């Protein structure tokens, strides 16, 4: 009977003796990253605190609201920038229905990988002091070595004795791994990062940081000279989000409208108005040059927008980052986009040095110019396709944008195939008859006049109808995709 009473008392007292998450030490004995910023312990959606236990150990608290009593996680990433990739990750997670506890992983790119070091080494690096799930919240208090033992690769477990941007995410687990986090920017579960890097050694459990006046501290209120909780921010501010949006719209309009129509007109409609010239140049050349200039101007503006948004830093493949990150879709998108733009910009420069139209080797220029022009268009199409498939948050309706772009590719592809078939047909006809060939005559005034045969005139009309339809599809799909890019709302701050 006495034992029963003692057990009942213990079960009643124990929850109150367990450490509870509190913001009372923020800016005093621990640093705090809180979401929403400035929240109290009871109202915080997510929180991360850090303080030095001694010269070799960092104590962390991870807390988050989550509906997952098991098979969930709250994770903090230690990053050199505000983006996922090449990060050390410490998580409080439940796997396969087990209890929550601390564990280690890393982000080689835009994915997460569990640390595969021997368990005894992981236990030396990270210790779970306390972990529990109650009242819809998961809480972990962990202690991690500042300089990890075991000679592990630095891209998997970094030393924490320096400054890092703090990335924080929540979600579910499956198959002993963290599942991808929520990608809805307006969701409370969308990950965030600190706006500035944080010095993890700044706070000690035994003394306040240098330069802090503790006289103003009272409960959870911060005095005028106290260090406040770390600023939190979405991965992109409204300004950056708008720049990326403008970049995407400009590139879509440039490649799907101006470059596409220029390519089709130049390739297939040269013979439609052979005697129409403006300032001594054929109509097709004026349209080709004008559309390309507009498209290249839009590309340059979009190029500048994305580099401003990324602080003039290259986010594509680099020699000093992991292969996994180099193979991620954002890196591939950046490289394809850069190559497409560079080749497009080089086209008019190469055209300046082309030989005379009547030169014997002029055909070489036509082959090279056409090959690189079409190659640039293919690379741009691939970059846009990657965006439609993998950059869901950028679109108001990603599935609709993807469907529209596939329709655009199908129509343009069929347009090219159909016109090439007509070109082969005309060539075949010229081999077997002379009547169907066009006639070029030099008039008395020295001007050249081309008389188009009835057969070719008929084919030219067919080409024109196909071109008009393809152009309308190009304009319609590009404008619709641009609208889906332009109307998406920036993340909540």
């Amino acid at each position: 009977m006495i034992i029963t009473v003692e057990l009942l008392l213990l079960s009643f007292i124990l929850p109150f003796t367990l450490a509870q998450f509190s913001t009372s030490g923020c800016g005093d004995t621990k640093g705090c990253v809180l979401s929403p910023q400035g929240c109290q312990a009871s109202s915080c959606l997510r929180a991360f605190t850090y303080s030095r236990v001694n010269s070799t150990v960092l104590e962390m608290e991870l807390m988050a609201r989550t509906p997952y009593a098991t098979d969930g996680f709250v994770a903090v990433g230690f990053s050199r920038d505000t983006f996922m990739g090449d990060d050390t990750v410490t998580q409080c997670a439940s796997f396969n229905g087990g209890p929550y506890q601390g564990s280690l992983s890393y982000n080689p790119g835009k994915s997460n990988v569990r640390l595969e070091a021997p368990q005894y080494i992981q236990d030396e690096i990270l210790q779970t002091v306390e972990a529990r799930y109650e009242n819809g919240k998961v809480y972990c208090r962990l202690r991690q070595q500042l300089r990890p033992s075991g000679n592990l690769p630095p891209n998997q477990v970094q030393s924490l004795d320096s400054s890092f941007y703090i990335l924080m995410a929540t979600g579910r687990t499956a198959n002993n791994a963290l599942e991808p986090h929520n990608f809805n920017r307006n969701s409370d579960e969308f990950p965030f990062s600190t706006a500035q890097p944080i010095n993890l050694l700044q706070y000690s459990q035994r003394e306040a940081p240098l330069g802090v006046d503790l006289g103003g501290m009272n409960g959870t209120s911060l005095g005028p000279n106290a260090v406040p909780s770390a600023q939190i921010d979405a991965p992109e501010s409204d300004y950056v989000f708008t720049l990326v949006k403008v970049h995407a719209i400009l590139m879509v309009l440039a490649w799907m409208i101006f470059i596409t129509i220029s390519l089709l007109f130049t390739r297939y409609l040269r013979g439609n108005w052979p005697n129409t010239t403006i300032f001594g140049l054929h109509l097709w050349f004026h349209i080709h040059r004008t559309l390309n200039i507009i498209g290249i101007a839009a590309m340059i503006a979009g190029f500048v927008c994305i580099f401003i948004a990324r602080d003039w830093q290259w986010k594509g493949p680099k020699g000093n980052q992991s292969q996994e990150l180099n193979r991620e879709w954002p890196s591939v998108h950046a490289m394809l986009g850069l190559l497409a733009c560079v080749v497009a910009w080089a086209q008019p420069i190469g055209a300046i040095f082309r030989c005379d139209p009547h030169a014997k080797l002029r055909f070489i220029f036509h082959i090279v110019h056409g090959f690189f022009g079409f190659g640039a268009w293919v690379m741009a199409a691939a970059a846009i396709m990657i965006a439609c498939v993998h950059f869901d948050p950028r679109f108001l309706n990603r599935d609709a944008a993807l469907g529209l772009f596939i329709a655009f590719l199908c129509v343009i592809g069929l347009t090219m195939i159909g016109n090439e078939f007509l070109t082969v047909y005309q060539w075949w006809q010229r081999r077997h008859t002379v009547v169907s060939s066009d006639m070029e005559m030099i008039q008395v005034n020295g001007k050249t006049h081309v008389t188009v045969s009835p057969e070719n005139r008929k084919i030219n009309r067919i080409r024109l109808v196909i071109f008009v339809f393809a152009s309308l599809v190009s304009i319609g799909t590009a404008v619709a995709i641009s609208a889906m890019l332009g109307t998406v709302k920036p993340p909540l701050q």
Side-chain angles (χ1 to χ4, degrees):
M1 180 66 179
I2 296 176
I3 295 177
T4 303
V5 173
E6 289 178 345
L7 290 175
L8 289 173
L9 288 173
L10 182 61
S11 64
F12 177 78
I13 295 173
L14 185 59
F16 297 96
T17 62
L18 291 173
Q20 300 289 323
F21 174 73
S22 173
T23 59
S24 61
C26 293
D28 180 4
T29 57
K30 62 183 179 181
C32 298
V33 178
L34 308 174
S35 175
Q37 181 185 347
C39 63
Q40 300 300 314
S42 59
S43 61
C44 289
L45 298 178
R46 287 169 290 188
F48 166 71
T49 74
Y50 54 97
S51 60
R52 281 188 296 113
V53 176
N54 51 45
S55 61
T56 62
V57 176
L58 182 74
E59 183 168 290
M60 298 176 282
E61 293 178 296
L62 283 72
M63 187 281 294
R65 289 182 183 271
T66 177
Y68 312 121
T70 58
D71 299 328
F73 74 88
V74 52
V76 58
F78 302 97
S79 179
R80 299 298 180 183
D81 54 34
T82 59
F83 300 97
M84 182 179 178
D86 285 339
D87 316 314
T88 291
V89 178
T90 300
Q91 66 251 0
C92 177
S94 164
F95 297 101
N96 302 318
Y100 279 91
Q101 60 181 357
S103 56
L104 299 168
S105 62
Y106 62 99
N107 299 330
K110 302 300 180 183
S111 59
N112 180 267
V113 179
R114 288 284 301 276
L115 188 65
E116 296 182 356
Q119 191 59 46
Y120 75 91
I121 292 180
Q122 297 192 47
D123 292 340
E124 290 179 358
I125 298 173
L126 182 68
Q127 296 180 359
T128 303
V129 179
E130 183 182 350
R132 66 179 182 278
Y133 178 89
E134 60 183 24
N135 299 325
K137 290 185 177 181
V138 59
Y139 171 82
C140 269
R141 185 157 61 96
L142 312 172
R143 289 189 173 184
Q144 184 167 338
Q145 291 178 342
L146 288 168
R147 288 170 291 279
S149 57
N151 296 320
L152 298 175
N155 65 314
Q156 297 184 10
V157 184
Q158 302 182 67
S159 295
L160 301 183
D161 53 355
S162 58
S163 297
F164 294 91
Y165 290 89
I166 301 300
L167 315 180
M168 200 165 187
T170 58
R172 301 208 65 175
T173 64
N175 301 319
N176 288 315
L178 308 186
E179 289 195 327
H181 56 71
N182 193 309
F183 289 97
N184 181 0
R185 291 178 174 273
N186 296 322
S187 170
D188 291 336
E189 295 183 349
F190 189 75
F192 67 83
S193 71
T194 53
Q196 301 295 332
I198 289 176
N199 180 7
L200 297 173
L201 304 183
Q202 184 178 8
Y203 296 93
S204 172
Q205 294 186 353
R206 293 177 176 80
E207 57 184 10
L210 295 176
V212 175
D213 179 7
L214 299 181
M217 298 295 294
N218 182 15
T220 59
S221 300
L222 296 177
N225 298 321
V227 178
S229 300
Q231 294 280 336
I232 66 169
D233 196 4
E236 291 176 347
S237 64
D238 286 357
Y239 172 70
V240 172
F241 189 80
T242 300
L243 283 174
V244 176
K245 182 191 298 185
V246 173
H247 156 79
I249 293 173
L250 287 172
M251 290 300 182
V252 165
L253 295 178
W255 288 103
M256 292 182 65
I257 295 180
F258 298 109
I259 302 301
T260 298
I261 293 178
S262 171
L263 186 153
L264 295 177
F265 194 97
T266 305
R267 174 66 177 166
Y268 303 117
L269 296 185
R270 286 192 185 198
N272 282 50
W273 299 275
N275 301 310
T276 303
T277 60
I278 302 175
F279 301 115
L281 296 175
H282 287 98
L283 177 64
W284 71 263
F285 183 80
H286 283 288
I287 293 177
H288 175 66
R289 183 169 58 182
T290 301
L291 292 178
N292 278 344
I293 289 174
I294 297 173
I296 289 174
M299 288 180 218
I300 293 174
F303 189 83
V304 171
C305 284
I306 195 62
F307 265 83
I308 293 176
R310 299 298 180 238
D311 295 327
W312 297 100
Q313 296 181 9
W314 169 244
K315 296 299 181 181
K318 292 181 285 190
N320 61 349
Q321 69 184 12
S322 65
Q323 293 184 4
E324 290 86 351
L325 191 57
N326 285 339
R327 290 195 296 263
E328 291 290 344
W329 288 117
S331 292
V332 178
H333 170 83
M335 179 56 73
L336 286 172
L338 178 65
L339 291 175
C341 288
V342 169
V343 172
W345 298 337
Q347 288 289 84
I349 298 175
I352 294 174
F353 300 99
R354 67 188 183 275
C355 55
D356 185 81
H358 302 290
K360 292 183 178 181
L361 299 180
R362 178 67 177 226
F363 74 96
I364 297 178
F365 165 77
H366 288 304
I367 293 174
V368 173
H369 190 70
F371 174 80
F372 282 101
F374 182 70
W377 185 87
V378 171
M379 288 188 290
I384 296 174
M385 177 61 79
I386 289 173
C388 290
V389 173
H390 299 284
F391 301 166
D392 191 352
R394 301 293 177 189
F395 298 91
L396 185 66
N397 187 328
R398 194 283 307 272
D399 292 338
L402 177 60
L404 286 169
F405 190 66
I406 292 175
F408 162 81
L409 292 178
C410 290
V411 170
I412 299 303
L414 291 174
T415 297
M416 292 179 178
I417 293 172
N419 275 286
E420 293 299 328
F421 174 79
L422 291 175
T423 300
V424 173
Y425 174 78
Q426 287 180 302
W427 170 81
W428 184 261
Q429 289 293 103
R430 284 196 299 269
R431 288 190 59 189
H432 292 80
T433 179
V434 178
V435 178
S436 63
S437 298
D438 299 337
M439 298 181 64
E440 184 176 294
M441 297 180 295
I442 306 297
Q443 297 179 335
V444 177
N445 58 7
K447 293 184 178 180
T448 301
H449 181 82
V450 177
T451 301
V452 182
S453 68
E455 181 70 21
N456 283 346
R457 192 179 297 116
K458 179 180 178 181
I459 291 177
N460 288 344
R461 284 196 291 266
I462 295 174
R463 290 186 188 274
L464 181 60
V465 171
I466 296 175
F467 168 79
V468 170
F469 174 73
S471 298
L472 291 175
V473 171
S474 297
I475 295 171
T477 54
V479 170
I481 293 174
S482 297
M484 293 179 192
L485 289 164
T487 54
V488 66
K489 294 181 180 179
L492 295 176
Q493 301 295 319

PDB file of all heavy atoms in Angstrom, residues 17 99 103 105 164 167 179 187 240 281 283 338 349 375 387-388 396 413 424 448:
ATOM      1  N   THR A  17       9.144  17.992 -12.142  1.00  0.00           N
ATOM      2  CA  THR A  17      10.579  18.037 -11.869  1.00  0.00           C
ATOM      3  C   THR A  17      11.393  17.980 -13.150  1.00  0.00           C
ATOM      4  O   THR A  17      12.548  18.345 -13.171  1.00  0.00           O
ATOM      5  CB  THR A  17      10.991  16.850 -10.969  1.00  0.00           C
ATOM      6  OG1 THR A  17      10.717  15.634 -11.654  1.00  0.00           O
ATOM      7  CG2 THR A  17      10.249  16.882  -9.664  1.00  0.00           C
ATOM      8  N   PRO A  99      10.773   6.289 -29.245  1.00  0.00           N
ATOM      9  CA  PRO A  99      10.736   7.577 -28.548  1.00  0.00           C
ATOM     10  C   PRO A  99      11.614   8.614 -29.255  1.00  0.00           C
ATOM     11  O   PRO A  99      12.499   8.275 -30.034  1.00  0.00           O
ATOM     12  CB  PRO A  99      11.289   7.237 -27.166  1.00  0.00           C
ATOM     13  CG  PRO A  99      12.196   6.072 -27.418  1.00  0.00           C
ATOM     14  CD  PRO A  99      11.545   5.272 -28.504  1.00  0.00           C
ATOM     15  N   SER A 103      19.876  12.815 -32.596  1.00  0.00           N
ATOM     16  CA  SER A 103      20.670  12.073 -33.581  1.00  0.00           C
ATOM     17  C   SER A 103      21.286  13.064 -34.556  1.00  0.00           C
ATOM     18  O   SER A 103      20.950  14.253 -34.557  1.00  0.00           O
ATOM     19  CB  SER A 103      19.818  11.035 -34.326  1.00  0.00           C
ATOM     20  OG  SER A 103      18.699  11.643 -34.950  1.00  0.00           O
ATOM     21  N   SER A 105      22.765  14.061 -38.599  1.00  0.00           N
ATOM     22  CA  SER A 105      22.654  13.858 -40.037  1.00  0.00           C
ATOM     23  C   SER A 105      23.337  15.033 -40.714  1.00  0.00           C
ATOM     24  O   SER A 105      23.929  15.891 -40.062  1.00  0.00           O
ATOM     25  CB  SER A 105      21.184  13.736 -40.463  1.00  0.00           C
ATOM     26  OG  SER A 105      20.473  14.925 -40.163  1.00  0.00           O
ATOM     27  N   PHE A 164      27.400  30.284 -37.361  1.00  0.00           N
ATOM     28  CA  PHE A 164      26.605  29.599 -38.382  1.00  0.00           C
ATOM     29  C   PHE A 164      25.258  30.284 -38.528  1.00  0.00           C
ATOM     30  O   PHE A 164      24.721  30.851 -37.564  1.00  0.00           O
ATOM     31  CB  PHE A 164      26.350  28.135 -38.006  1.00  0.00           C
ATOM     32  CG  PHE A 164      27.564  27.268 -37.981  1.00  0.00           C
ATOM     33  CD1 PHE A 164      28.290  27.099 -36.815  1.00  0.00           C
ATOM     34  CD2 PHE A 164      27.983  26.613 -39.124  1.00  0.00           C
ATOM     35  CE1 PHE A 164      29.415  26.296 -36.780  1.00  0.00           C
ATOM     36  CE2 PHE A 164      29.107  25.812 -39.102  1.00  0.00           C
ATOM     37  CZ  PHE A 164      29.829  25.645 -37.930  1.00  0.00           C
ATOM     38  N   LEU A 167      19.346  26.960 -39.489  1.00  0.00           N
ATOM     39  CA  LEU A 167      18.185  26.530 -40.261  1.00  0.00           C
ATOM     40  C   LEU A 167      17.343  25.612 -39.385  1.00  0.00           C
ATOM     41  O   LEU A 167      17.889  24.747 -38.705  1.00  0.00           O
ATOM     42  CB  LEU A 167      18.614  25.783 -41.525  1.00  0.00           C
ATOM     43  CG  LEU A 167      19.747  26.381 -42.366  1.00  0.00           C
ATOM     44  CD1 LEU A 167      20.028  25.493 -43.571  1.00  0.00           C
ATOM     45  CD2 LEU A 167      19.418  27.786 -42.813  1.00  0.00           C
ATOM     46  N   GLU A 179      11.878  12.784 -43.635  1.00  0.00           N
ATOM     47  CA  GLU A 179      11.189  13.053 -44.888  1.00  0.00           C
ATOM     48  C   GLU A 179      11.305  14.537 -45.234  1.00  0.00           C
ATOM     49  O   GLU A 179      11.568  15.376 -44.367  1.00  0.00           O
ATOM     50  CB  GLU A 179       9.718  12.652 -44.781  1.00  0.00           C
ATOM     51  CG  GLU A 179       9.499  11.148 -44.734  1.00  0.00           C
ATOM     52  CD  GLU A 179       8.060  10.778 -44.984  1.00  0.00           C
ATOM     53  OE1 GLU A 179       7.174  11.566 -44.586  1.00  0.00           O
ATOM     54  OE2 GLU A 179       7.803   9.713 -45.567  1.00  0.00           O
ATOM     55  N   SER A 187       2.759  27.937 -44.579  1.00  0.00           N
ATOM     56  CA  SER A 187       2.525  26.978 -43.509  1.00  0.00           C
ATOM     57  C   SER A 187       3.426  27.277 -42.314  1.00  0.00           C
ATOM     58  O   SER A 187       4.558  27.753 -42.457  1.00  0.00           O
ATOM     59  CB  SER A 187       2.785  25.550 -44.009  1.00  0.00           C
ATOM     60  OG  SER A 187       2.787  24.623 -42.942  1.00  0.00           O
ATOM     61  N   VAL A 240      13.901  39.886 -52.056  1.00  0.00           N
ATOM     62  CA  VAL A 240      14.577  38.812 -52.785  1.00  0.00           C
ATOM     63  C   VAL A 240      13.562  37.965 -53.533  1.00  0.00           C
ATOM     64  O   VAL A 240      13.776  37.588 -54.694  1.00  0.00           O
ATOM     65  CB  VAL A 240      15.409  37.946 -51.820  1.00  0.00           C
ATOM     66  CG1 VAL A 240      15.947  36.711 -52.527  1.00  0.00           C
ATOM     67  CG2 VAL A 240      16.552  38.756 -51.232  1.00  0.00           C
ATOM     68  N   LEU A 281      17.093  45.392 -96.498  1.00  0.00           N
ATOM     69  CA  LEU A 281      17.198  44.083 -95.847  1.00  0.00           C
ATOM     70  C   LEU A 281      15.848  43.388 -95.879  1.00  0.00           C
ATOM     71  O   LEU A 281      14.796  44.037 -95.752  1.00  0.00           O
ATOM     72  CB  LEU A 281      17.667  44.241 -94.399  1.00  0.00           C
ATOM     73  CG  LEU A 281      19.078  44.822 -94.206  1.00  0.00           C
ATOM     74  CD1 LEU A 281      19.360  45.032 -92.721  1.00  0.00           C
ATOM     75  CD2 LEU A 281      20.130  43.903 -94.810  1.00  0.00           C
ATOM     76  N   LEU A 283      12.527  41.224 -94.962  1.00  0.00           N
ATOM     77  CA  LEU A 283      11.627  41.324 -93.827  1.00  0.00           C
ATOM     78  C   LEU A 283      11.976  40.312 -92.733  1.00  0.00           C
ATOM     79  O   LEU A 283      11.960  40.639 -91.546  1.00  0.00           O
ATOM     80  CB  LEU A 283      10.179  41.110 -94.297  1.00  0.00           C
ATOM     81  CG  LEU A 283       9.114  41.105 -93.209  1.00  0.00           C
ATOM     82  CD1 LEU A 283       9.037  42.460 -92.517  1.00  0.00           C
ATOM     83  CD2 LEU A 283       7.740  40.731 -93.805  1.00  0.00           C
ATOM     84  N   LEU A 338      22.618  29.552 -67.426  1.00  0.00           N
ATOM     85  CA  LEU A 338      23.801  30.354 -67.756  1.00  0.00           C
ATOM     86  C   LEU A 338      24.315  30.028 -69.153  1.00  0.00           C
ATOM     87  O   LEU A 338      24.605  30.938 -69.952  1.00  0.00           O
ATOM     88  CB  LEU A 338      24.900  30.109 -66.721  1.00  0.00           C
ATOM     89  CG  LEU A 338      26.221  30.842 -66.969  1.00  0.00           C
ATOM     90  CD1 LEU A 338      26.023  32.343 -66.860  1.00  0.00           C
ATOM     91  CD2 LEU A 338      27.289  30.370 -65.984  1.00  0.00           C
ATOM     92  N   ILE A 349      27.110  38.551 -81.677  1.00  0.00           N
ATOM     93  CA  ILE A 349      28.532  38.881 -81.809  1.00  0.00           C
ATOM     94  C   ILE A 349      29.149  38.068 -82.944  1.00  0.00           C
ATOM     95  O   ILE A 349      29.906  38.583 -83.780  1.00  0.00           O
ATOM     96  CB  ILE A 349      29.270  38.619 -80.482  1.00  0.00           C
ATOM     97  CG1 ILE A 349      28.700  39.526 -79.382  1.00  0.00           C
ATOM     98  CG2 ILE A 349      30.766  38.845 -80.640  1.00  0.00           C
ATOM     99  CD1 ILE A 349      29.277  39.256 -78.008  1.00  0.00           C
ATOM    100  N   GLY A 375      20.583  24.970 -79.958  1.00  0.00           N
ATOM    101  CA  GLY A 375      21.106  24.385 -78.719  1.00  0.00           C
ATOM    102  C   GLY A 375      20.810  25.244 -77.510  1.00  0.00           C
ATOM    103  O   GLY A 375      20.456  24.736 -76.436  1.00  0.00           O
ATOM    104  N   ALA A 387      12.458  24.099 -63.491  1.00  0.00           N
ATOM    105  CA  ALA A 387      11.749  25.013 -62.596  1.00  0.00           C
ATOM    106  C   ALA A 387      10.298  24.589 -62.407  1.00  0.00           C
ATOM    107  O   ALA A 387       9.772  24.608 -61.283  1.00  0.00           O
ATOM    108  CB  ALA A 387      11.822  26.440 -63.140  1.00  0.00           C
ATOM    109  N   CYS A 388       9.636  24.202 -63.498  1.00  0.00           N
ATOM    110  CA  CYS A 388       8.227  23.802 -63.405  1.00  0.00           C
ATOM    111  C   CYS A 388       8.049  22.526 -62.587  1.00  0.00           C
ATOM    112  O   CYS A 388       7.038  22.356 -61.903  1.00  0.00           O
ATOM    113  CB  CYS A 388       7.652  23.605 -64.808  1.00  0.00           C
ATOM    114  SG  CYS A 388       7.433  25.124 -65.762  1.00  0.00           S
ATOM    115  N   LEU A 396       1.957  29.785 -58.459  1.00  0.00           N
ATOM    116  CA  LEU A 396       0.654  29.763 -57.804  1.00  0.00           C
ATOM    117  C   LEU A 396       0.018  28.387 -57.943  1.00  0.00           C
ATOM    118  O   LEU A 396      -0.628  27.890 -57.021  1.00  0.00           O
ATOM    119  CB  LEU A 396      -0.244  30.837 -58.422  1.00  0.00           C
ATOM    120  CG  LEU A 396      -1.607  31.025 -57.772  1.00  0.00           C
ATOM    121  CD1 LEU A 396      -1.447  31.551 -56.350  1.00  0.00           C
ATOM    122  CD2 LEU A 396      -2.460  31.984 -58.600  1.00  0.00           C
ATOM    123  N   GLY A 413       7.367  21.529 -80.874  1.00  0.00           N
ATOM    124  CA  GLY A 413       8.003  20.344 -81.449  1.00  0.00           C
ATOM    125  C   GLY A 413       7.296  19.866 -82.704  1.00  0.00           C
ATOM    126  O   GLY A 413       7.937  19.577 -83.726  1.00  0.00           O
ATOM    127  N   VAL A 424      11.536  18.887 -96.656  1.00  0.00           N
ATOM    128  CA  VAL A 424      11.956  17.672 -97.371  1.00  0.00           C
ATOM    129  C   VAL A 424      11.079  17.462 -98.599  1.00  0.00           C
ATOM    130  O   VAL A 424      11.569  17.079 -99.683  1.00  0.00           O
ATOM    131  CB  VAL A 424      11.900  16.450 -96.427  1.00  0.00           C
ATOM    132  CG1 VAL A 424      12.156  15.161 -97.208  1.00  0.00           C
ATOM    133  CG2 VAL A 424      12.907  16.596 -95.304  1.00  0.00           C
ATOM    134  N   THR A 448      16.854  42.358-107.505  1.00  0.00           N
ATOM    135  CA  THR A 448      16.503  40.950-107.699  1.00  0.00           C
ATOM    136  C   THR A 448      15.033  40.737-107.382  1.00  0.00           C
ATOM    137  O   THR A 448      14.540  41.206-106.345  1.00  0.00           O
ATOM    138  CB  THR A 448      17.366  40.047-106.790  1.00  0.00           C
ATOM    139  OG1 THR A 448      18.739  40.256-107.118  1.00  0.00           O
ATOM    140  CG2 THR A 448      17.017  38.595-107.003  1.00  0.00           C
TER     141      THR A 448
END
